[in-house]
Amino acid sequence: MSAFQVGGMTCGGCAQAVKNAIGRAAPGSHVEVDLERARVAVTPDLDAATLAKAVEAAGFEYLGPAAD
């Protein structure tokens, strides 16, 4: 599982946009978004560059690996 922080998500629509963007970049992946913690988890593991590119293409900021 890859877990990382995303900046700029403020609503359910934002969370869905991030999920969709990652789904397009990695079809078949499972994406969980914790809007309150601005945290996204993706299974299976994906490299940071792929995740960052997908998140940023959706208009959000990839902030790096989650601290927990």
Side-chain angles (χ1 to χ4, degrees):
M1 174 177 65
S2 301
F4 58 96
Q5 301 296 133
V6 174
M9 289 192 306
T10 59
C11 66
C14 296
Q16 190 62 48
V18 169
K19 285 180 81 168
N20 292 343
I22 294 170
R24 284 189 299 276
S29 61
H30 177 75
V31 182
E32 294 180 31
V33 178
D34 182 339
L35 187 59
E36 187 174 301
R37 294 172 58 202
R39 182 181 187 275
V40 178
V42 181
T43 306
D45 282 337
L46 296 174
D47 63 277
T50 299
L51 293 170
K53 185 175 179 179
V55 168
E56 290 168 3
F60 300 93
E61 185 179 6
Y62 177 83
L63 300 175
D68 54 57

